[in-house]
Amino acid sequence: RVFSFTAYDSLDQASNTATSTITVVPNDDPSLDLDPNNTGSDNYTANFSEGGGAINIINTTGSNLSDQTGDTVNKLTLSFDKSRFADGNAESLSISGSTDAGATIANLGSLTASTDASLTFAIGSVTYDYEISISGTTATISFTKDNGAALSQAETETLLESLRYNNTESDPDDTNTRVFSFTAYDSLDQASNT
C-alpha cells in the first residue's frame, strides 16, 4: 500500500511528494510435514515390528515444521483414537533423549486425562510440559514449553523428532492401525494442517 503526501503553502505552492509504503506480510498458518522427503504427502507411515523396540512416528530427516513468519509455537498437540490401541499398558509413547519420569506416556489404550503440573520432561536444556485431555475415545496430548512459555520452531522440531512409539506385548494386536495426528499452534493460535 502506498500513501503519497504533498503539503501546500498559503500561496498554493506544492512541496515535494513524499511516499509511505506499507507492505502487508501475511501471518500464514504453520505447516507440518511429517514426511518431508515424500513430496506427495505430509503424512508418514512406519511399520512396527514385534520385539524391534521403539520407532519414530515421523520422518526425522528434513524439516517437519515451517512458518513463513518464523513464529513461535504456543503448543503442539498429538491426538489419537484410544480404541485402536488394544494392547493396554504395553503400548506407549516415549521421548527419546530424556530420562525424566514424565518421558514415557504408557497405557495408550486406557489413557486418562491429566493436567498434573508434574507431567514434564527435558530434552537437553529445554523443559517441556504436557497435559492429557480425553473426549470420548480421542486422547489429546498438548505439549508446551515449561510454564506455558512458547516453543521456538527448533524446540518444536526437536520434540517432534524425539517421539517414539513402542509396544512390548509378546503377541501385539495387529487388527488396528495406530494413527497419531499432530497440530501445531503458532503465537496467534493459528493451527497448522493436521
Side-chain angles (χ1 to χ4, degrees):
R1 317 305 193 261
V2 178
F3 298 96
S4 298
F5 297 89
T6 306
Y8 294 87
D9 66 12
S10 61
L11 299 175
D12 207 26
Q13 293 177 329
S15 69
N16 63 312
T17 300
T19 60
S20 174
T21 303
I22 307 295
T23 302
V24 176
V25 178
N27 189 351
D28 292 335
D29 299 342
S31 178
L32 281 172
D33 186 347
L34 303 180
D35 194 359
N37 295 328
N38 179 358
T39 57
S41 174
D42 294 334
N43 299 322
Y44 178 68
T45 301
N47 291 316
F48 176 82
S49 297
E50 178 184 342
I55 62 166
N56 294 326
I57 59 175
I58 68 164
N59 185 332
T60 60
T61 58
S63 179
N64 302 103
L65 174 67
S66 63
D67 191 320
Q68 266 185 312
T69 55
D71 277 344
T72 55
V73 175
N74 279 351
K75 71 179 173 182
L76 175 72
T77 63
L78 179 152
S79 299
F80 58 92
D81 182 345
K82 297 188 315 173
S83 68
R84 301 183 70 84
F85 293 78
D87 289 328
N89 201 39
E91 295 189 81
S92 64
L93 280 174
S94 61
I95 312 299
S96 177
S98 178
T99 57
D100 297 329
T104 298
I105 304 167
N107 202 6
L108 297 181
S110 300
L111 202 58
T112 58
S114 177
T115 55
D116 185 343
S118 67
L119 298 175
T120 65
F121 58 90
I123 303 173
S125 62
V126 179
T127 300
Y128 298 84
D129 294 337
Y130 66 92
E131 66 180 43
I132 301 163
S133 60
I134 306 295
S135 177
T137 62
T138 301
T140 301
I141 305 169
S142 297
F143 298 95
T144 61
K145 195 169 181 177
D146 193 31
N147 296 317
L151 294 161
S152 70
Q153 287 189 37
E155 292 165 339
T156 306
E157 188 78 34
T158 297
L159 173 60
L160 282 165
E161 292 177 359
S162 72
L163 294 168
R164 306 285 189 271
Y165 166 79
N166 198 11
N167 187 336
T168 57
E169 176 65 38
S170 61
D171 184 21
D173 176 79
D174 62 358
T175 58
N176 291 313
T177 301
R178 279 57 166 185
V179 178
F180 297 101
S181 298
F182 293 89
T183 306
Y185 295 85
D186 70 10
S187 62
L188 298 176
D189 215 27
Q190 294 174 309
S192 70
N193 56 313
T194 301

